[in-house]
Amino acid sequence: MAIIGRTRYRAFVRASGGPRYAVALAVDALGTGLLRPFLLLYGVTVSKLSAPVTGTAMTVGVVAGLLCMPAVGRWLDRGARSTVVAASMLVRVLGVVLLLADSAGHAWLFATAALFLGIGNQAWPAAHAALVATVAHGRERDAALAAGRALRNAGMGAGGLVATACLAGGSEALRVLAVVTGLAYLVAATLAWSVHIHARPATAPAEDRKREPVPRTGALLAANVVYVFCLNIPEIALPLILATQFHASPVWSAAVFVANTVLVVALQVPVTVFLSRFPRRRVLALGGVVLAVSYLGFLAAASTGAGWGAPAVAAVSVVCTVGEIIYAGSAIALVTALAPDRALGRALARFQLSTGFGLAVSPAVITALAPHGPAALWGSLSAATLLAAGAVVTEKDPEKPPSTRVSAASGGSVEAARGGTRPSIKDCSE
């Protein structure tokens, strides 16, 4: 039994990109957790910029990262995999270097640093998903993507805890954290590049070598903009409600965030594997229903007394996290299954555009709805999410021509099977 378990574990690690790539993900996530949550604080305390200027620079960085996604998608469609992942990490190294060089409070220098950090943060998810889709296939790929998310959440959570403990050191501590973050990104980029994974088309007829179009999945992309609001619920909506409506201690907000991180780390892979027996579209729709129910649960919690409000919100947040886990385990997996081999990069880039847009607008939407009462906030989110779930499950899978053969090379010697004959449309969505 131990031998079988070890064999399956090694196969699973290979399907996730290999041991070195797993270490690269962990190091990158740890470095991201050290600085990313405190970038606004860095701009205010170290760079001596005003909060509005710092926030604007960070927003510009996110938008610039989204604008770069079409180019990232085309790069991936040329066969690049580990190179793109490494590049997304290296560009963040440059961003950290510019942060450290900004000792005189130059807004343009901080904005440029935020620009490079934003580009790397937006490019990484699509590059990582393309790499995993190249070395794994079918439901094994779904589990590998889920494992990558769990590992990333664990690393970022650990980095955030270390950074929080170091914040008592003031601006100098933030500088040290930035240095460690830059080194972590550099090490992670080196490890990611060293796995040498790329996709290359095999010999095919001339008509098959033509670039395949990106499948039309407008309903899925629009729904994703709504779904992705769930990622900002523990960080923005719940702390806002706990502080303004229940006047609860900040400990409750911290507890909700920690519980969210722990549950994602512990349950992302098991839940994804368990739900792999069902069609991906239906699973994604189920995730929307669970999220909508949790939003109604927050609405019900708002009617409880002050003494029970915070515990009720914390309890319902567990249901919201389960919905987030279902969504995260099925959404990207569905995109990678539906996209033709030669349009995979562009399909993932479009999906990341919808994700980034949802993450960018959700804080503004949440903070705009919250002052109008719990019904306006949670009722609107619940209705929108149910509509998104309906759109996902009713959208027809796009037709696509037979796929060309794609293979992946790892370390120049190992042939990994994503290629061969791609499954049918029914298989892809189910």
Side-chain angles (χ1 to χ4, degrees):
M1 292 295 291
I3 295 177
I4 295 176
R6 244 188 335 265
T7 301
R8 288 179 177 174
Y9 172 77
R10 288 173 180 171
F12 184 70
V13 171
R14 284 196 299 271
S16 302
R20 276 178 296 170
Y21 186 70
V23 174
L25 291 187
V27 173
D28 177 76
L30 183 64
T32 301
L34 288 175
L35 183 62
R36 185 172 171 180
F38 308 103
L39 186 57
L40 179 64
L41 185 62
Y42 188 99
V44 173
T45 60
V46 179
S47 299
K48 306 299 181 184
L49 301 173
S50 67
V53 170
T54 304
T56 301
M58 293 172 62
T59 300
V60 170
V62 172
V63 172
L66 291 175
L67 293 177
C68 290
M69 287 311 301
V72 172
R74 289 191 294 271
W75 192 6
L76 290 170
D77 283 340
R78 294 191 186 102
R81 293 294 184 266
S82 56
T83 304
V84 186
V85 175
S88 72
M89 297 171 178
L90 284 175
V91 74
R92 284 180 285 173
V93 174
L94 183 56
V96 173
V97 170
L98 291 175
L99 280 182
L100 294 170
D102 183 20
S103 58
H106 296 110
W108 66 270
L109 197 55
F110 181 87
T112 306
L115 170 68
F116 287 118
L117 290 171
I119 292 173
N121 290 334
Q122 295 300 325
W124 182 87
H128 166 70
L131 186 148
V132 173
T134 303
V135 297
H137 62 279
R139 295 299 181 171
E140 185 182 60
R141 176 191 57 223
D142 297 11
L145 288 170
R149 181 170 189 262
L151 180 61
R152 186 162 181 80
N153 274 265
M156 290 182 65
L161 288 175
V162 172
T164 301
C166 295
L167 287 181
S171 59
E172 287 304 314
L174 283 171
R175 285 185 178 278
V176 172
L177 289 175
V179 171
V180 176
T181 297
L183 291 174
Y185 287 156
L186 184 60
V187 171
T190 303
L191 289 171
W193 177 82
S194 70
V195 300
H196 297 304
I197 293 176
H198 62 275
R200 60 176 181 271
T203 304
E207 61 271 16
D208 289 338
R209 289 199 297 268
K210 294 180 181 178
R211 176 162 291 184
E212 298 179 27
V214 182
R216 296 181 181 275
T217 53
L220 175 60
L221 296 179
N224 185 55
V225 173
V226 178
Y227 270 82
V228 82
F229 273 54
C230 71
L231 301 181
N232 275 332
I233 295 298
E235 298 184 29
I236 296 174
L238 298 188
L240 179 64
I241 297 303
L242 289 169
T244 60
Q245 182 176 341
F246 297 111
H247 306 288
S249 166
V251 172
W252 283 105
S253 298
V256 167
F257 182 78
V258 170
N260 174 269
T261 302
V262 171
L263 287 173
V264 169
V265 172
L267 299 180
Q268 186 67 72
V269 174
V271 170
T272 301
V273 171
F274 174 77
L275 293 175
S276 65
R277 66 193 70 186
F278 305 107
R280 291 186 182 93
R281 280 194 182 276
R282 294 180 186 176
V283 173
L284 184 55
L286 172 64
V289 172
V290 174
L291 288 172
V293 169
S294 72
Y295 297 155
L296 294 177
F298 290 130
L299 177 58
S303 63
T304 61
W308 291 99
V313 167
V316 177
S317 70
V318 174
V319 181
C320 185
T321 299
V322 172
E324 174 191 335
I325 290 171
I326 297 173
Y327 153 67
S330 57
I332 296 183
L334 178 60
V335 174
T336 58
L338 292 176
D341 288 323
R342 298 188 181 184
L344 177 64
R346 284 168 289 153
L348 289 171
R350 289 185 179 183
F351 184 79
Q352 181 58 28
L353 277 171
S354 70
T355 299
F357 179 76
L359 289 174
V361 303
S362 57
V365 172
I366 290 171
T367 53
L369 291 174
H372 297 285
L377 174 61
W378 300 117
S380 298
L381 289 179
S382 180
T385 306
L386 283 175
L387 287 175
V392 166
V393 79
T394 57
E395 184 180 40
K396 292 184 178 180
D397 291 325
E399 295 293 336
K400 63 181 181 180
S403 176
T404 56
R405 179 180 295 272
V406 175
S407 63
S410 177
S413 60
V414 179
E415 291 297 327
R418 177 179 190 255
T421 302
R422 285 289 297 267
S424 66
I425 288 292
K426 180 179 179 181
D427 292 334
C428 285
S429 61
E430 298 185 358

